[in-house]
Amino acid sequence: MSKEWSRPTRYFIAALIFFLGIVFLYQARALISPLAIAALLAYVLNPLVTFVNKQAKLSRTWVVALVYLISLAALAFAFFILIQFLTEETDQLVADLQQIAEQVQTEYLGVSFAILNTNIQISSLIPTSTNFLTDIIQPDLMVGFLQSTTTNIGWIAVVFVTAYYLLNDWDRLRDWLFKWSPPDYGDDTQRLYKEVRLVWDRYLRGQLRLSLIVGLITGIASGLIGLPGAIIFGLLAAVFDVLLTVGPGIVMISAAIVALLAGSSVLPVSNEVFALIVLAVFGGIQAIENVWLRPRIMSSSLNIHPAIVFISIIASLALAGILAALIIVPVLGSIGVINRYIYCKLFKLDPWQNFPRPVSQIKRKPPNETLEATVQSDANASADGNIIEDVKPSSEAKVSS
């Protein structure tokens, strides 16, 4: 029989494993966000894969491959349509900008002014286009741009491949992870998994509700100011709202380009002024969403204070980028579930018993219900012998006697 470790040895090994785990997570911190995005993507596609698997009676591997191929084909088709649209609109935009540049050059750049008896022309203060482009397009900048683009494409490939394996083999992977839990804590591990999964369910429902609200507001606002394709921009705002700052920015720029080229069907203003109005409207919608709507909806979905939601998203965007900001809210909710479990275990409490609600959330009972409850409790106490009362006979009893 193998000799058991002493208590100091067990504590030392546990502390060493914990320290090495922290070091590993720090060294592999660049992998955390892509893996979390892959898990979120697999979690979103899992209901569709499960439904097709049950209805078509095909193996899960074939169903996952089919869903992946359809999704990639849809993305490629949308990208192709978008490229065609942007190519046509970009040509028109370049022609308009060239005309504006010629007008500015003839009307404004030829103007001169005097400073200390010295005539200065505005055109001499502006660098020529050749020098300007030469300064911007440099070999080191182009190499850096290509390197960052290649890195992003690599991370996207990691996300898709990881999501594929999670969709295909998640059941076996989950059972394998459950086997690593101590024998006496198997039920707790499965319960923690269900609680964390519930957090992500609520996050996805909250994000869906937020996207629908933003899409509806964007479509209505676009229609009121006369933006062509208001319904399409509402749908795009709802779909791209998941990408936080990048998605709404793409929709806003696209709407501004359409406004600059097509103008408004309602407002009697020039195309340039209308483009500024569109930017202001879309920017205002994003400000309202990020400052008020998103914190409130996520707070009600995950029971996290709105200020924590707002600060965590802003900090993630500033420190780790959009991928971290996309998952920071459900990660905080998951940490809260695990933290509650550890807290209850440390103080010998039941981790699955609901915590007391705040006083502001307790519904006050009507006076009649409170009175009935008090009378019932007194009656129960009297029956148990805890309260002894002298019951006086009623007037009817006296008359009958």
Side-chain angles (χ1 to χ4, degrees):
M1 182 177 179
S2 178
K3 182 180 179 181
E4 294 184 357
W5 286 349
S6 62
R7 179 174 296 181
T9 303
R10 293 198 300 267
Y11 287 165
F12 173 76
I13 295 298
L16 181 62
I17 293 175
F18 178 77
F19 174 75
L20 293 178
I22 295 297
V23 172
F24 173 77
L25 289 177
Y26 178 77
Q27 295 295 331
R29 60 189 183 276
L31 281 172
I32 296 177
S33 295
L35 293 180
I37 296 297
L40 182 61
L41 179 62
Y43 187 75
V44 171
L45 293 178
N46 184 61
L48 177 61
V49 172
T50 303
F51 176 78
V52 176
N53 188 21
K54 292 181 179 179
Q55 297 297 324
K57 296 181 179 180
L58 296 174
S59 64
R60 190 173 180 87
T61 303
W62 285 103
V63 173
V64 172
L66 180 63
V67 170
Y68 251 57
L69 289 177
I70 294 175
S71 302
L72 292 177
L75 289 175
F77 178 75
F79 183 75
F80 177 75
I81 297 298
L82 181 62
I83 288 297
Q84 279 191 337
F85 173 77
L86 289 180
T87 302
E88 297 175 358
E89 299 299 334
T90 302
D91 294 338
Q92 182 65 32
L93 179 61
V94 169
D96 293 340
L97 291 177
Q98 185 176 2
Q99 182 180 359
I100 293 173
E102 293 176 356
Q103 183 179 0
V104 170
Q105 185 175 4
T106 56
E107 295 183 3
Y108 300 101
L109 296 184
V111 178
S112 61
F113 57 92
I115 298 179
L116 298 177
N117 296 325
T118 303
N119 292 327
I120 299 176
Q121 290 188 348
I122 297 179
S123 58
S124 63
L125 301 176
I126 300 177
T128 60
S129 60
T130 304
N131 295 334
F132 181 72
L133 293 177
T134 304
D135 294 336
I136 291 181
I137 304 177
Q138 297 179 356
D140 55 346
L141 295 179
M142 295 301 297
V143 171
F145 174 75
L146 292 176
Q147 184 179 1
S148 62
T149 303
T150 306
T151 303
N152 292 332
I153 294 176
W155 283 125
I156 292 174
V158 170
V159 168
F160 277 99
V161 173
T162 305
Y164 173 82
Y165 281 111
L166 289 177
L167 276 173
N168 194 28
D169 299 325
W170 170 244
D171 292 337
R172 286 183 292 179
L173 178 61
R174 181 189 57 195
D175 295 339
W176 179 78
L177 291 175
F178 284 162
K179 290 180 181 178
W180 283 91
S181 61
D184 295 336
Y185 294 94
D187 294 338
D188 285 2
T189 303
Q190 296 184 13
R191 181 66 181 270
L192 271 177
Y193 165 75
K194 293 179 181 179
E195 292 289 334
V196 172
R197 182 176 177 178
L198 181 61
V199 168
W200 288 81
D201 279 340
R202 292 175 177 175
Y203 167 72
L204 292 177
R205 288 197 295 266
Q207 181 61 53
L208 178 61
R209 182 171 52 171
L210 179 63
S211 298
L212 293 177
I213 293 174
V214 171
L216 182 63
I217 294 175
T218 303
I220 293 175
S222 301
L224 290 177
I225 62 178
L227 179 65
I231 298 178
I232 295 177
F233 281 109
L235 293 175
L236 290 177
V239 172
F240 283 91
D241 186 72
V242 181
L243 299 179
L244 295 179
T245 306
V246 177
I250 295 174
V251 177
M252 182 170 60
I253 294 174
S254 304
I257 294 175
V258 172
L260 184 62
L261 299 177
S264 174
S265 59
V266 176
L267 301 178
V269 295
S270 63
N271 292 2
E272 292 79 8
V273 175
F274 182 58
L276 295 177
I277 293 175
V278 168
L279 289 176
V281 170
F282 277 67
I285 292 174
Q286 285 305 307
I288 294 174
E289 178 193 2
N290 294 326
V291 175
W292 188 74
L293 272 178
R294 186 182 297 275
R296 294 290 177 180
I297 291 178
M298 293 303 169
S299 173
S300 62
S301 299
L302 301 179
N303 196 21
I304 302 175
H305 196 276
I308 297 179
V309 175
F310 176 77
I311 294 173
S312 62
I313 292 176
I314 297 299
S316 300
L317 284 173
L319 300 177
I322 186 174
L323 293 180
L326 184 62
I327 61 171
I328 186 61
V329 176
V331 167
L332 286 178
S334 303
I335 293 175
V337 171
I338 299 173
N339 181 64
R340 185 183 67 177
Y341 175 81
I342 296 175
Y343 173 85
C344 292
K345 285 298 182 180
L346 288 175
F347 292 95
K348 298 181 179 181
L349 301 175
D350 185 6
W352 312 125
Q353 184 178 5
N354 293 329
F355 281 176
R357 293 176 298 171
V359 178
S360 59
Q361 296 183 2
I362 298 178
K363 296 181 179 179
R364 297 184 179 275
K365 297 181 179 181
N368 294 336
E369 294 184 7
T370 305
L371 180 60
E372 292 176 0
T374 304
V375 172
Q376 183 66 28
S377 62
D378 291 344
N380 293 337
S382 300
D384 295 337
N386 296 327
I387 299 177
I388 302 176
E389 292 189 66
D390 292 329
V391 181
K392 297 182 181 179
S394 63
S395 59
E396 295 179 358
K398 290 181 179 180
V399 171
S400 61
S401 61

